[in-house]
Amino acid sequence: MIATLEDAGRMLRPGAHLGIVSRPLYLLPLLRTGALAALLSSEAADAGWGARFGVELHAQEEWSGSRDGGPGGPGLDGVAGRLPRLVGTRWRGRELRLAGYGSQREQWTAAVRATGARLLVPPPTADSDVLVDKVAMRAWFEHLGVPAPDSTVLSGRPDHRVLRDRFGALYVAQSPRGSGGNGTHLVRGADDAAVLPERERWLVSEYVGDTALNVHGFVGLDGLPQVLRPSLQLIGVAEAGAGFGQYAGCDFEAPERLSPRALGRCLEATERIGWGLAGLGYRGVFGADFVLDGDRALALEINCRMQGSTWLLGEIELERPDGRLPTQVRHVLERHGMPTLGKPDPDPASGVQLTVRHTGGPARAVRVPRAGAYALCEGVLVRRGDAAGLLECGPEETVLVNLPPDGTVLHPGAVLARLVARRSLTAPDGRALTARGRALVEALHRLYSFGEPGTEG
């Protein structure tokens, strides 16, 4: 049983791991613990990460020269396809374990094989629509006795008059298989409904409220679920460039300011979901998303994979003095059949990330700030030193990460940077920036300069 980082190091380093992820930041705890020999990504890592973490990096963004506002998944296939040309014969005869953010793709295994190396892929833990389809999830929640918003499933284009009579003036229409807020629409009236595309299926739900909570959970090889830390989800933060329902970050300290009764109900529901996932055969980390309305807590969906907040959870866990394993490290070990020992620690902790997106038309970023720790001084961000994440962030500092390389063409919705801080940057509902959050975002924009997409300056 692997219980400490020291134990994990002995298991991880002899069998080198290949990380495959849309954004290198999402695997930061694995990079910090020396688990990765190489990393393939859609977006480029911040300058200096290869030498800092002793890892070989390859990113689609490095030769495409562009960054869009999507989840980054398509770029993974692009970089995998180039892998034999990128590594030549350097990997011949090597054996690499996959450390992936999401599900495995067959073309990744084939690409690694073409280099002369072998990719060891974790066995699938479950095969159920419950894990990927929001419609199936809602029916499953009812089976588990977990409250969820009132909803219906329909095809074609939503009929606003019928849905208004059932759900009222506001309701939410979703693609059953969207993620990160993609495919989610708030319908405020007939005009909003009229522009929705026709789909084979729509999941339409009552609009409950703006406060969204995520709870991490973990199902070990022993089949026993654990409830881990909750975080406030920052959703649709317009001042940071996020549209309705779009994920904009998380705040692990904010839950202590929410209704204790609602928070308790989220933790209880997450435990039920964990037992349900164990019964389906799922093993590893998962996240349960809830929406809060006063003391009510309603389950929206589950994510049976690492999440966009799992890396920050790992940073918080790495700060603990007892050397216990971060959840992300446990996930990779257990998915490869190595049992771990982890003690749940669901209490709020200091740690915030806010994604700031490009909102204009396509533009070339001709001046980009350097990643690192910054202090806000009279409205100006002043760089204090190198930093990769929360571990290097001082109490009054902000760390800038996930920045595009100089000269990158940014498309609408592309990530300009993630702000990492130790205190909240948004209001308690996670939808609007505080005065400090607003000042940081405005100061970040001033560090950039842009040119036409086809120009260098």
Side-chain angles (χ1 to χ4, degrees):
M1 185 76 72
I2 303 169
T4 66
L5 278 171
E6 184 178 357
D7 294 337
R10 287 194 291 267
M11 299 300 296
L12 289 167
R13 293 187 183 96
H17 287 67
L18 171 64
I20 301 183
V21 66
S22 58
R23 296 169 176 122
L25 179 68
Y26 287 170
L27 296 185
L28 183 55
L30 292 175
L31 289 166
R32 289 196 188 276
T33 53
L36 301 183
L39 190 150
L40 310 182
S41 59
S42 300
E43 295 181 0
D46 289 314
W49 275 33
R52 178 179 188 139
F53 299 117
V55 63
E56 183 177 344
L57 301 170
H58 300 287
Q60 173 80 3
E61 191 171 78
E62 292 174 348
W63 56 83
S64 71
S66 67
R67 177 178 290 193
D68 63 27
L76 295 178
D77 294 340
V79 72
R82 289 175 175 254
L83 191 58
R85 285 173 286 169
L86 293 170
V87 305
T89 60
R90 292 197 308 275
W91 290 11
R92 189 173 302 281
R94 296 183 69 179
E95 192 171 77
L96 299 165
R97 295 193 185 103
L98 174 65
Y101 174 83
S103 57
Q104 150 71 359
R105 300 179 189 174
E106 288 300 323
Q107 54 264 48
W108 300 349
T109 303
V112 172
R113 188 186 304 118
T115 70
R118 181 186 177 204
L119 184 64
L120 301 180
V121 177
T125 61
D127 182 15
S128 171
D129 281 347
V130 165
L131 306 185
V132 295
D133 188 283
K134 293 180 177 65
V135 172
M137 286 177 198
R138 294 290 176 90
W140 189 62
F141 289 155
E142 183 176 1
H143 170 73
L144 295 177
V146 172
D150 181 27
S151 62
T152 189
V153 181
L154 51 86
S155 61
R157 182 175 284 112
D159 186 325
H160 176 65
R161 289 177 297 176
V162 173
L163 295 171
R164 180 191 58 198
D165 290 344
R166 174 166 177 175
F167 297 118
L170 295 177
Y171 56 88
V172 178
Q174 294 177 284
S175 165
R177 291 180 180 250
S179 63
N182 295 307
T184 297
H185 308 269
L186 177 64
V187 179
R188 304 175 180 86
D191 290 344
D192 288 344
V195 298
L196 294 177
E198 289 195 14
R199 290 189 184 277
E200 182 179 346
R201 290 184 307 155
W202 280 105
L203 174 64
V204 182
S205 308
E206 64 173 323
Y207 179 73
V208 178
D210 290 337
T211 304
L213 192 81
N214 173 269
V215 184
H216 270 85
F218 193 89
V219 182
L221 289 171
D222 57 8
L224 299 178
Q226 295 178 333
V227 178
L228 309 178
R229 291 186 190 274
S231 64
L232 178 72
Q233 290 193 298
L234 312 184
I235 302 293
V237 183
E239 296 158 294
F244 173 79
Q246 188 172 32
Y247 182 76
C250 63
D251 185 333
F252 278 94
E253 186 178 31
E256 69 179 1
R257 298 190 290 273
L258 302 176
S259 159
R261 181 173 294 180
L263 181 58
R265 288 171 173 166
C266 291
L267 300 179
E268 179 186 354
T270 302
E271 183 174 18
R272 288 193 189 187
I273 290 169
W275 281 112
L277 290 174
L280 293 175
Y282 180 79
R283 299 295 182 267
V285 68
F286 69 92
D289 290 343
F290 300 89
V291 63
L292 308 185
D293 178 24
D295 289 341
R296 284 204 306 161
L298 303 178
L300 296 179
E301 62 182 280
I302 52 172
N303 297 299
C304 293
R305 54 169 171 76
M306 298 184 206
Q307 303 176 101
S309 55
T310 305
W311 77 269
L312 186 57
L313 172 66
E315 294 278 274
I316 292 169
E317 293 167 331
L318 282 168
E319 283 197 313
R320 297 180 302 201
D322 54 15
R324 279 184 284 169
L325 293 174
T327 298
Q328 189 173 93
V329 174
R330 292 187 66 202
H331 177 76
V332 171
L333 288 170
E334 298 231 1
R335 293 286 287 113
H336 281 280
M338 292 173 274
T340 64
L341 182 65
K343 183 179 179 182
D345 187 6
D347 295 334
S350 172
V352 179
Q353 62 165 326
L354 173 68
T355 301
V356 182
R357 299 180 180 274
H358 175 61
T359 56
R364 186 176 300 276
V366 296
R367 188 184 71 214
V368 177
R370 292 171 60 197
Y374 285 75
L376 186 63
C377 302
E378 298 182 351
V380 177
L381 280 168
V382 179
R383 194 174 188 274
R384 289 279 183 84
D386 293 338
L390 187 68
L391 296 189
E392 299 87 10
C393 185
E396 299 300 321
E397 291 179 338
T398 302
V399 173
L400 305 187
V401 290
N402 197 188
L403 297 114
D406 285 339
T408 301
V409 174
L410 302 178
H411 295 274
V415 174
L416 287 174
R418 278 181 168 81
L419 309 183
V420 182
R422 293 194 175 272
R423 55 191 178 101
S424 295
L425 301 177
T426 64
D429 65 0
R431 297 291 297 272
L433 296 178
T434 61
R436 175 175 172 78
R438 194 174 304 111
L440 286 169
V441 169
E442 292 171 355
L444 171 69
H445 282 290
R446 287 194 290 271
L447 293 179
Y448 273 87
S449 64
F450 298 97
E452 295 297 322
T455 67
E456 295 297 328

